[in-house]
Amino acid sequence: MAEFPTPHVRARKRFGQHFLERAWVEKMMRAIAPDRTDTFLEIGPGRGALTRPLAEAAAHVVAFEIDRDLAATLRSAAIERVVVVEGNFLDVTPAALDEALARAGLLNGRQTLLRVAGNLPYNVASPILFSLVALYRAGFMFEDATVMLQREVADRLLAQPGTREFGVLTVLIRHAAQVERLLTLPRGAFRPAPKVDSTVVRLRFHSDEPPVRSRPELEALVQAVFTRRRKTVANALLAYRPSGQAAIEAALARASIAGGRRPETLDLADFVRLSDAFGTGVP
Ligand code: SAM
């Protein structure tokens, strides 16, 4: 495997920079399990710890790096099969992703099976997951995403109803993807070491399950309800329909949900039924 470039700049805290130590790169690569025909989107390549082995094993790597210096250094390394895109992944629109894939010679980006990999910056890991869901919903064929997250975020993704970890992230990501825990890493796997442990998860995206009448309405409802997670569902829903006591009662009845339950006891199917109930004849 090619040598890592000598670290030339200090890790930038504001970009969540913690670089994976060599001993752990192989474990992460085994978790990703790249194939010669795969096209990868890498989020946050940093100094290229994963980019290089991915490029050796796959057909294409399109890597998005926010740090101008790291992006320039990686680009100047001119690694075969790698396109480095400088920018914030959170700003990547469907058109921008089409363009980035075209730079790798993939002119029909939305007809290309894509895999996502990344040791995500922990400060924006959840928004990045939501961006991936939005891009998938916009028509990009993500086969999977193998990403390193703060362990607590992985716990929230995998949480069961009725637990403290169950919340917005659980409901809205699991509505769009199946999540599997692959690997847990200690702080010492990175330099500089973060203050938290890390977990690698694999997301397999799918169409909304269960199907929902309006995903934006589901998102608004789930966000609103979990901002008042200590209240009953009936009261928490006032954050969603502030003046709609009657509408709330009607929707709860239609969805067969007792208003006295706590928000985190509702499962994904309950939230979908409730969201649909607000749109079906309920004012
Ligand atoms: N992949 C490298 C590794 O494993 O050593 C670096 C991982 S480091 C945890 C996260 C990387 O994501 C950094 O290189 C950071 O500059 C980059 N980054 C942070 N925020 C980003 C964003 N919004 N879009 C793209 N890259 C980002």
Side-chain angles (χ1 to χ4, degrees):
M1 195 182 295
E3 284 299 301
F4 290 2
T6 315
H8 64 292
V9 283
R10 281 162 56 107
R12 292 187 166 123
K13 230 179 176 174
R14 71 177 185 285
F15 293 146
Q17 291 177 353
H18 299 279
F19 301 104
L20 194 58
E21 290 281 73
R22 187 187 300 239
W24 290 88
V25 169
E26 242 173 70
K27 293 193 172 86
M28 179 74 180
M29 289 304 298
R30 271 204 296 275
I32 299 171
D35 183 86
R36 177 51 59 212
T37 58
D38 288 340
T39 294
F40 278 93
L41 300 187
E42 189 190 358
I43 303 169
R47 296 172 181 156
L50 300 175
T51 320
R52 290 163 194 274
L54 278 176
E56 278 172 21
H60 304 276
V61 181
V62 179
F64 294 85
E65 174 55 59
I66 198 171
D67 184 316
R68 194 193 304 169
D69 295 330
L70 288 179
T73 307
L74 199 58
R75 193 175 290 137
S76 66
I79 308 167
E80 254 185 274
R81 296 183 286 278
V82 175
V83 168
V84 180
V85 182
E86 183 201 315
N88 185 342
F89 188 76
L90 295 174
D91 294 338
V92 172
T93 59
L97 185 50
D98 278 330
E99 206 183 300
L101 291 166
R103 283 173 54 192
L106 302 161
L107 297 177
N108 294 315
R110 295 189 207 196
Q111 275 140 50
T112 307
L113 207 54
L114 300 171
R115 300 191 64 200
V116 178
N119 171 7
L120 298 187
Y122 294 159
N123 48 345
V124 287
S126 300
I128 286 175
L129 296 180
F130 283 117
S131 285
L132 289 173
V133 169
L135 290 167
Y136 180 82
R137 293 173 61 83
F140 289 96
M141 300 200 299
F142 294 151
E143 184 182 342
D144 64 0
T146 311
V147 288
M148 178 110 58
L149 303 164
Q150 181 177 338
R151 192 173 68 185
E152 286 73 13
V153 174
D155 290 345
R156 281 159 55 201
L157 284 174
L158 290 153
Q160 295 299 320
T163 62
R164 205 162 41 96
E165 291 78 19
F166 188 81
V168 175
L169 194 66
T170 329
V171 174
L172 294 181
I173 297 296
R174 293 257 294 278
H175 188 229
Q178 184 210 325
V179 184
E180 181 189 359
R181 188 191 305 266
L182 300 182
L183 202 63
T184 297
L185 290 85
R187 297 154 203 222
F190 307 89
R191 198 170 293 176
K195 292 197 174 76
V196 291
D197 294 330
S198 303
T199 296
V200 179
V201 296
R202 171 165 295 135
L203 278 74
R204 290 188 194 279
F205 298 92
H206 50 61
S207 50
D208 298 345
E209 187 51 49
V212 68
R213 195 181 51 81
S214 160
R215 168 87 186 187
E217 278 180 29
L218 174 71
E219 288 171 4
L221 179 141
V222 171
Q223 296 275 5
V225 163
F226 279 110
T227 59
R228 297 171 151 209
R229 62 184 294 145
R230 289 176 191 286
K231 303 204 178 281
T232 62
V233 186
N235 283 335
L237 280 168
L238 286 169
Y240 178 59
R241 291 280 166 108
S243 57
Q245 191 76 44
I248 289 167
E249 279 169 22
L252 282 166
R254 201 182 279 263
S256 308
I257 294 169
R261 287 171 64 183
R262 302 278 164 198
E264 74 259 27
T265 69
L266 271 58
D267 65 16
L268 181 47
D270 290 329
F271 278 109
V272 167
R273 277 202 324 283
L274 190 54
S275 177
D276 283 353
F278 275 107
T280 48
V282 173

Short mmCIF file of all heavy atoms in Angstrom, two decimals, residues 26-62:
data_model
loop_
_atom_site.label_atom_id
_atom_site.label_comp_id
_atom_site.label_asym_id
_atom_site.label_seq_id
_atom_site.Cartn_x
_atom_site.Cartn_y
_atom_site.Cartn_z
N GLU A 26 -6.75 -0.95 7.67
CA GLU A 26 -7.07 -2.26 7.11
C GLU A 26 -8.41 -2.79 7.62
O GLU A 26 -9.19 -3.36 6.87
CB GLU A 26 -5.98 -3.25 7.51
CG GLU A 26 -5.24 -3.82 6.32
CD GLU A 26 -4.08 -4.65 6.76
OE1 GLU A 26 -4.34 -5.73 7.31
OE2 GLU A 26 -2.93 -4.19 6.57
N LYS A 27 -8.65 -2.58 8.93
CA LYS A 27 -9.93 -3.06 9.51
C LYS A 27 -11.09 -2.33 8.85
O LYS A 27 -12.12 -2.92 8.53
CB LYS A 27 -9.94 -2.84 11.02
CG LYS A 27 -8.93 -3.70 11.75
CD LYS A 27 -9.21 -3.68 13.25
CE LYS A 27 -8.35 -4.68 13.99
NZ LYS A 27 -7.02 -4.21 14.37
N MET A 28 -10.91 -1.02 8.67
CA MET A 28 -11.98 -0.23 8.04
C MET A 28 -12.17 -0.70 6.59
O MET A 28 -13.29 -0.82 6.12
CB MET A 28 -11.57 1.26 8.09
CG MET A 28 -12.56 2.21 7.45
SD MET A 28 -14.05 2.46 8.42
CE MET A 28 -14.97 3.60 7.40
N MET A 29 -11.07 -0.99 5.90
CA MET A 29 -11.18 -1.45 4.52
C MET A 29 -11.90 -2.80 4.45
O MET A 29 -12.68 -3.04 3.53
CB MET A 29 -9.79 -1.55 3.87
CG MET A 29 -9.14 -0.21 3.59
SD MET A 29 -10.14 0.89 2.57
CE MET A 29 -10.24 -0.05 1.07
N ARG A 30 -11.63 -3.65 5.42
CA ARG A 30 -12.33 -4.94 5.43
C ARG A 30 -13.83 -4.72 5.63
O ARG A 30 -14.66 -5.41 5.05
CB ARG A 30 -11.78 -5.86 6.52
CG ARG A 30 -10.61 -6.71 6.00
CD ARG A 30 -10.45 -7.98 6.83
NE ARG A 30 -10.10 -7.69 8.21
CZ ARG A 30 -8.85 -7.48 8.63
NH1 ARG A 30 -7.85 -7.54 7.79
NH2 ARG A 30 -8.62 -7.20 9.90
N ALA A 31 -14.17 -3.73 6.46
CA ALA A 31 -15.58 -3.43 6.69
C ALA A 31 -16.22 -2.89 5.40
O ALA A 31 -17.35 -3.24 5.06
CB ALA A 31 -15.73 -2.41 7.82
N ILE A 32 -15.48 -2.07 4.69
CA ILE A 32 -16.04 -1.50 3.44
C ILE A 32 -16.14 -2.57 2.36
O ILE A 32 -17.11 -2.62 1.61
CB ILE A 32 -15.17 -0.31 2.94
CG1 ILE A 32 -15.14 0.82 3.98
CG2 ILE A 32 -15.68 0.22 1.60
CD1 ILE A 32 -14.13 1.94 3.68
N ALA A 33 -15.13 -3.44 2.29
CA ALA A 33 -15.09 -4.53 1.31
C ALA A 33 -15.31 -4.03 -0.12
O ALA A 33 -16.30 -4.36 -0.76
CB ALA A 33 -16.11 -5.61 1.68
N PRO A 34 -14.35 -3.24 -0.64
CA PRO A 34 -14.52 -2.71 -2.00
C PRO A 34 -14.32 -3.79 -3.06
O PRO A 34 -13.61 -4.76 -2.82
CB PRO A 34 -13.40 -1.66 -2.09
CG PRO A 34 -12.39 -2.05 -1.08
CD PRO A 34 -13.11 -2.81 0.01
N ASP A 35 -14.94 -3.56 -4.19
CA ASP A 35 -14.81 -4.48 -5.32
C ASP A 35 -14.26 -3.68 -6.51
O ASP A 35 -14.47 -2.47 -6.60
CB ASP A 35 -16.21 -5.04 -5.65
CG ASP A 35 -16.16 -6.05 -6.77
OD1 ASP A 35 -15.91 -7.23 -6.46
OD2 ASP A 35 -16.33 -5.66 -7.95
N ARG A 36 -13.58 -4.36 -7.39
CA ARG A 36 -12.94 -3.74 -8.55
C ARG A 36 -13.90 -2.87 -9.38
O ARG A 36 -13.51 -1.89 -10.00
CB ARG A 36 -12.33 -4.88 -9.38
CG ARG A 36 -11.66 -4.57 -10.65
CD ARG A 36 -10.61 -3.49 -10.67
NE ARG A 36 -9.47 -3.66 -9.79
CZ ARG A 36 -8.81 -2.63 -9.22
NH1 ARG A 36 -9.21 -1.38 -9.38
NH2 ARG A 36 -7.77 -2.84 -8.45
N THR A 37 -15.19 -3.23 -9.39
CA THR A 37 -16.15 -2.50 -10.24
C THR A 37 -16.83 -1.35 -9.49
O THR A 37 -17.63 -0.63 -10.08
CB THR A 37 -17.25 -3.47 -10.75
OG1 THR A 37 -17.88 -4.03 -9.59
CG2 THR A 37 -16.66 -4.57 -11.60
N ASP A 38 -16.53 -1.18 -8.21
CA ASP A 38 -17.26 -0.19 -7.42
C ASP A 38 -16.85 1.25 -7.73
O ASP A 38 -15.68 1.54 -7.98
CB ASP A 38 -17.00 -0.40 -5.92
CG ASP A 38 -17.69 -1.64 -5.37
OD1 ASP A 38 -18.65 -2.11 -6.00
OD2 ASP A 38 -17.26 -2.14 -4.31
N THR A 39 -17.85 2.14 -7.63
CA THR A 39 -17.58 3.58 -7.66
C THR A 39 -17.90 4.12 -6.27
O THR A 39 -19.02 3.96 -5.78
CB THR A 39 -18.46 4.29 -8.71
OG1 THR A 39 -18.06 3.81 -10.00
CG2 THR A 39 -18.30 5.79 -8.64
N PHE A 40 -16.90 4.76 -5.66
CA PHE A 40 -17.09 5.27 -4.29
C PHE A 40 -17.21 6.78 -4.27
O PHE A 40 -16.49 7.49 -4.98
CB PHE A 40 -15.90 4.89 -3.40
CG PHE A 40 -16.00 3.49 -2.88
CD1 PHE A 40 -15.41 2.44 -3.58
CD2 PHE A 40 -16.71 3.22 -1.73
CE1 PHE A 40 -15.52 1.14 -3.11
CE2 PHE A 40 -16.83 1.91 -1.26
CZ PHE A 40 -16.23 0.88 -1.95
N LEU A 41 -18.10 7.26 -3.43
CA LEU A 41 -18.06 8.66 -3.00
C LEU A 41 -17.41 8.60 -1.64
O LEU A 41 -17.90 7.88 -0.76
CB LEU A 41 -19.47 9.24 -2.80
CG LEU A 41 -20.43 9.28 -3.96
CD1 LEU A 41 -21.68 10.05 -3.55
CD2 LEU A 41 -19.78 9.90 -5.18
N GLU A 42 -16.32 9.32 -1.48
CA GLU A 42 -15.73 9.38 -0.15
C GLU A 42 -15.99 10.75 0.44
O GLU A 42 -15.77 11.78 -0.23
CB GLU A 42 -14.21 9.09 -0.18
CG GLU A 42 -13.72 8.94 1.26
CD GLU A 42 -12.21 8.88 1.46
OE1 GLU A 42 -11.46 8.94 0.47
OE2 GLU A 42 -11.79 8.81 2.63
N ILE A 43 -16.43 10.79 1.67
CA ILE A 43 -16.70 12.06 2.34
C ILE A 43 -15.59 12.31 3.35
O ILE A 43 -15.37 11.49 4.25
CB ILE A 43 -18.08 12.03 3.04
CG1 ILE A 43 -19.16 11.69 2.01
CG2 ILE A 43 -18.37 13.39 3.69
CD1 ILE A 43 -20.50 11.37 2.60
N GLY A 44 -14.86 13.40 3.15
CA GLY A 44 -13.78 13.76 4.06
C GLY A 44 -12.55 12.87 3.92
O GLY A 44 -12.17 12.17 4.87
N PRO A 45 -11.87 12.89 2.77
CA PRO A 45 -10.70 12.01 2.59
C PRO A 45 -9.50 12.41 3.43
O PRO A 45 -8.63 11.58 3.69
CB PRO A 45 -10.38 12.17 1.10
CG PRO A 45 -10.94 13.51 0.72
CD PRO A 45 -12.17 13.67 1.56
N GLY A 46 -9.45 13.69 3.85
CA GLY A 46 -8.33 14.12 4.70
C GLY A 46 -7.00 13.93 4.00
O GLY A 46 -6.76 14.43 2.91
N ARG A 47 -6.11 13.15 4.65
CA ARG A 47 -4.79 12.90 4.07
C ARG A 47 -4.78 11.65 3.19
O ARG A 47 -3.71 11.17 2.82
CB ARG A 47 -3.77 12.75 5.19
CG ARG A 47 -3.60 14.03 5.98
CD ARG A 47 -2.73 13.78 7.20
NE ARG A 47 -2.60 15.00 7.98
CZ ARG A 47 -2.32 15.01 9.27
NH1 ARG A 47 -2.15 13.88 9.93
NH2 ARG A 47 -2.21 16.16 9.91
N GLY A 48 -5.95 11.10 2.95
CA GLY A 48 -6.03 9.99 2.00
C GLY A 48 -5.88 8.61 2.60
O GLY A 48 -5.68 7.63 1.87
N ALA A 49 -6.03 8.50 3.93
CA ALA A 49 -5.84 7.20 4.58
C ALA A 49 -6.72 6.11 3.95
O ALA A 49 -6.25 4.98 3.75
CB ALA A 49 -6.15 7.31 6.08
N LEU A 50 -7.96 6.46 3.63
CA LEU A 50 -8.86 5.47 3.00
C LEU A 50 -8.87 5.62 1.49
O LEU A 50 -9.14 4.66 0.77
CB LEU A 50 -10.29 5.65 3.53
CG LEU A 50 -10.50 5.47 5.03
CD1 LEU A 50 -11.94 5.81 5.42
CD2 LEU A 50 -10.18 4.03 5.44
N THR A 51 -8.60 6.85 1.03
CA THR A 51 -8.70 7.13 -0.40
C THR A 51 -7.75 6.24 -1.21
O THR A 51 -8.13 5.70 -2.25
CB THR A 51 -8.32 8.61 -0.66
OG1 THR A 51 -8.87 9.40 0.38
CG2 THR A 51 -8.86 9.08 -2.00
N ARG A 52 -6.52 6.12 -0.70
CA ARG A 52 -5.52 5.35 -1.46
C ARG A 52 -5.89 3.87 -1.57
O ARG A 52 -5.95 3.35 -2.69
CB ARG A 52 -4.14 5.50 -0.81
CG ARG A 52 -3.59 6.89 -0.99
CD ARG A 52 -2.45 7.20 -0.03
NE ARG A 52 -2.20 8.62 -0.03
CZ ARG A 52 -1.41 9.23 -0.89
NH1 ARG A 52 -0.77 8.54 -1.80
NH2 ARG A 52 -1.26 10.54 -0.85
N PRO A 53 -6.17 3.19 -0.45
CA PRO A 53 -6.55 1.78 -0.61
C PRO A 53 -7.86 1.61 -1.38
O PRO A 53 -8.01 0.63 -2.12
CB PRO A 53 -6.68 1.27 0.83
CG PRO A 53 -6.66 2.46 1.72
CD PRO A 53 -5.99 3.56 0.97
N LEU A 54 -8.78 2.57 -1.25
CA LEU A 54 -10.02 2.47 -2.03
C LEU A 54 -9.71 2.55 -3.52
O LEU A 54 -10.22 1.79 -4.33
CB LEU A 54 -11.00 3.61 -1.67
CG LEU A 54 -11.85 3.43 -0.41
CD1 LEU A 54 -12.67 4.69 -0.15
CD2 LEU A 54 -12.78 2.21 -0.57
N ALA A 55 -8.82 3.50 -3.88
CA ALA A 55 -8.47 3.68 -5.30
C ALA A 55 -7.77 2.44 -5.84
O ALA A 55 -7.94 2.09 -7.01
CB ALA A 55 -7.58 4.90 -5.46
N GLU A 56 -7.01 1.77 -4.98
CA GLU A 56 -6.31 0.56 -5.44
C GLU A 56 -7.29 -0.58 -5.69
O GLU A 56 -7.06 -1.43 -6.53
CB GLU A 56 -5.28 0.12 -4.40
CG GLU A 56 -3.99 0.90 -4.52
CD GLU A 56 -3.01 0.62 -3.39
OE1 GLU A 56 -3.13 -0.43 -2.74
OE2 GLU A 56 -2.14 1.47 -3.17
N ALA A 57 -8.41 -0.57 -4.94
CA ALA A 57 -9.30 -1.73 -4.99
C ALA A 57 -10.54 -1.52 -5.86
O ALA A 57 -11.20 -2.50 -6.22
CB ALA A 57 -9.74 -2.08 -3.57
N ALA A 58 -10.86 -0.25 -6.17
CA ALA A 58 -12.15 0.01 -6.83
C ALA A 58 -11.94 0.66 -8.20
O ALA A 58 -10.81 0.91 -8.63
CB ALA A 58 -12.99 0.92 -5.94
N ALA A 59 -13.06 0.95 -8.87
CA ALA A 59 -12.97 1.54 -10.22
C ALA A 59 -12.80 3.06 -10.17
O ALA A 59 -12.04 3.63 -10.96
CB ALA A 59 -14.22 1.18 -11.01
N HIS A 60 -13.53 3.72 -9.28
CA HIS A 60 -13.47 5.18 -9.16
C HIS A 60 -13.66 5.60 -7.70
O HIS A 60 -14.44 4.96 -6.98
CB HIS A 60 -14.62 5.87 -9.92
CG HIS A 60 -14.69 5.52 -11.35
ND1 HIS A 60 -13.94 6.14 -12.32
CD2 HIS A 60 -15.46 4.62 -12.00
CE1 HIS A 60 -14.23 5.63 -13.50
NE2 HIS A 60 -15.14 4.70 -13.34
N VAL A 61 -13.00 6.69 -7.34
CA VAL A 61 -13.27 7.32 -6.03
C VAL A 61 -13.47 8.81 -6.30
O VAL A 61 -12.60 9.46 -6.88
CB VAL A 61 -12.09 7.15 -5.05
CG1 VAL A 61 -12.43 7.79 -3.70
CG2 VAL A 61 -11.73 5.68 -4.86
N VAL A 62 -14.63 9.31 -5.90
CA VAL A 62 -14.88 10.75 -5.99
C VAL A 62 -14.92 11.24 -4.55
O VAL A 62 -15.81 10.86 -3.77
CB VAL A 62 -16.21 11.05 -6.73
CG1 VAL A 62 -16.47 12.54 -6.79
CG2 VAL A 62 -16.16 10.45 -8.13
#
